[in-house]
Amino acid sequence: MLHAITRLAHPGATIAMSRFAADHPEYITGTKTGPWRMQLPLGGFDVRQDGAALLVEASGVNPIGLSYMKLIFVDHIREYLAEEVELHWDGDGQSHGIPPFFRETRVTASRRLTPSMQRVTLTVPDLQDLPLDELHVRLLLPPADRPANLPPVWPMLTASGALSFPGGADALLVRVYTIRHVDLARGEVEIDFVLHPTAETSAARWAATCRPGDVAGLLGPGGGAIPQAPRLLLLGDETALPAIARILEATSPGTRCEAIIEVNGPEDEQPLAGPVEWLHRSGAAPGTTRLLAEALGKRHPSDDLYVWAGCEFDAFRDIRRHVRSIWKLPRDRHMVAAYWRRGVAGEMAEEPHHSSAA
Ligand SMILES: Cc1cc2nc3c(=O)[nH]c(=O)nc-3n(C[C@H](O)[C@H](O)[C@H](O)COP(=O)(O)OP(=O)(O)OC[C@H]3O[C@@H](n4cnc5c(N)ncnc54)[C@H](O)[C@@H]3O)c2cc1C
């Protein structure tokens, strides 16, 4: 296990940490004034008050795990403090430079899977060193008009453990995607892109037009653990189809698993490793139906149920309300996420995830 320590002296630090903990009871334990502990498969951190400051000890099972823990802490504490505080970490692991979970990848193949889905294969150096149980990556696309002789500028770790992204002419298009398939022997991953109509520069457009040899950056995988429970109910539109497909492939034989997936029509269905109820929009614009919420309303909760969902923002709100307010499933028995938001480009799909409680 690797360790690193930092001390955060800031008048709002305790309140910020207690709000961070209150918003994530599924990961963080502790009282309102600490100490707090977060434990994830790749590492964790312990936080306690030290006079007017917070003492933070991050640990990781390897350099990637430790780097993730520093990043999770600094990103969240900055968000809750609404201030770019700087941290200094002592101990193991690097605190600046190329993140250990970054890879520069190249396209090796691209093919149309269904009318609305493009599968892109990327070759990833040292793939075996990445946490491949995690589902999601941040895809980094260099500016489309960048001259071929000008290499992309990739994000770097700062001394605080945060990520610093290039701006101006070097700015990257950053989007979250799911690793659909890993081929360790070939050192390749596959990502399935929904080909939604878009007038601007977008990852969907890149996927539709990319050629072998094209360069893309990957941060991760990280976040999006495969849920474990005796009974799983998985819901999503086509953006979550790759994640649902991977979850179905990873579930143990005893798991009772049911998936409900919204696509445009039968032509966009895919053979998956478990039972699926396919819902058809039949020409309605993506993100405008209530098909997923209505299908959920026909199911019933049970004590051993875990609900996993990924979809457009309005559907996400409907599903989360149903699961939390009507079914009253505790936080550790569901994961409902907005994967995209109608009319909003980029990573802004989710509501700010912290509560307004002081
Ligand atoms: C954890 C996570 C995992 C994800 N995994 C996948 C995945 O494996 N495959 C995948 O295709 N997507 C996935 N997504 C969703 C994807 O990140 C978004 O759809 C993203 O907005 C696509 O980026 P873009 O550059 O193509 O479009 P943007 O530039 O972000 O958006 C341009 C316009 O297109 C709209 N738009 C975005 N997505 C869609 C859509 N699916 N249908 C219709 N309109 C849309 C936006 O509202 C906006 O108006 C995932 C999202 C998250 C949070």
Side-chain angles (χ1 to χ4, degrees):
M1 194 65 94
L2 303 174
H3 299 273
I5 289 179
T6 191
R7 195 167 178 280
L8 172 61
H10 187 288
T14 299
I15 290 175
M17 184 61 216
S18 80
R19 288 178 55 196
F20 176 18
D23 283 343
H24 295 281
E26 68 278 37
Y27 301 125
I28 305 179
T29 55
T31 68
K32 210 169 176 183
T33 52
W36 300 272
R37 163 166 284 197
M38 187 188 81
Q39 197 58 55
L40 297 173
L42 288 174
F45 52 69
D46 288 286
V47 183
R48 64 182 163 81
Q49 291 194 53
D50 180 27
L54 289 181
L55 197 66
V56 186
E57 181 175 352
S59 54
V61 296
N62 54 28
I64 290 180
L66 184 61
S67 204
Y68 276 158
M69 297 310 131
K70 291 178 184 175
L71 182 62
I72 291 172
F73 182 79
V74 67
D75 270 1
H76 282 85
I77 213 74
R78 284 178 170 182
E79 185 184 341
Y80 286 94
L81 284 172
E83 193 181 321
E84 295 280 295
V85 287
E86 299 296 339
L87 300 177
H88 174 86
W89 294 92
D90 286 316
D92 299 321
Q94 64 177 97
S95 289
H96 52 83
I98 299 170
F101 48 86
F102 169 79
R103 296 291 186 273
E104 181 175 291
T105 75
R106 277 185 194 275
V107 174
T108 52
S110 176
R111 71 184 169 95
R112 190 65 61 92
L113 210 56
T114 63
S116 73
M117 194 80 96
Q118 186 81 11
R119 175 163 291 176
V120 177
T121 309
L122 299 165
T123 181
V124 184
D126 299 323
L127 178 62
Q128 71 286 347
D129 295 338
L130 294 173
L132 298 169
D133 287 346
E134 309 276 328
L135 292 175
H136 306 310
V137 287
R138 270 159 132 186
L139 177 78
L140 313 176
L141 299 175
D145 54 359
R146 196 163 184 83
N149 61 352
L150 206 55
V153 179
W154 300 120
M156 290 285 162
L157 282 177
T158 69
S160 294
L163 282 170
S164 164
F165 285 82
D170 296 330
L172 304 162
L173 188 82
V174 183
R175 300 288 185 265
V176 181
Y177 278 87
T178 305
I179 299 287
R180 171 65 187 90
H181 185 248
V182 176
D183 187 334
L184 263 184
R186 296 173 70 95
E188 289 178 345
V189 299
E190 289 172 334
I191 298 181
D192 290 352
F193 294 78
V194 175
L195 297 174
H196 60 89
T198 161
E200 300 142 31
T201 308
S202 69
R205 181 157 294 193
W206 177 84
T209 56
C210 68
R211 298 271 174 272
D214 285 357
V215 173
L218 284 191
L219 286 170
I226 298 207
Q228 310 282 348
R231 181 184 164 211
L232 286 180
L233 178 57
L234 314 170
L235 299 110
D237 60 24
E238 52 271 76
T239 60
L241 204 168
I244 292 175
R246 272 195 70 189
I247 295 169
L248 288 173
E249 286 165 9
T251 49
S252 47
T255 307
R256 286 172 294 130
C257 204
E258 186 187 8
I260 305 171
I261 304 178
E262 177 188 318
V263 291
N264 186 57
E267 69 283 0
D268 285 315
E269 295 178 8
Q270 295 180 27
L272 300 184
V276 180
E277 181 188 352
W278 295 97
L279 308 174
H280 296 151
R281 274 194 307 276
S282 308
T288 61
T289 75
R290 297 202 68 251
L291 294 171
L292 287 169
E294 284 163 9
L296 179 68
K298 293 181 189 146
R299 267 66 178 181
H300 299 283
S302 58
D303 286 344
D304 57 356
L305 174 66
Y306 188 102
V307 175
W308 185 104
C311 48
E312 199 277 332
F313 184 78
D314 285 347
F316 144 80
R317 277 211 300 212
D318 278 354
I319 293 169
R320 191 178 61 173
R321 193 180 311 118
H322 194 93
V323 164
R324 288 192 181 168
S325 305
I326 299 177
W327 285 2
K328 303 207 182 308
L329 282 195
R331 289 281 190 103
D332 60 356
R333 298 246 314 280
H334 64 277
M335 204 298 301
V336 182
Y339 268 27
W340 63 284
R341 189 169 186 172
R342 271 196 97 205
V344 178
E347 289 189 274
M348 300 304 291
E350 291 250 25
E351 293 168 301
H353 69 271
H354 53 78
S355 66
S356 55

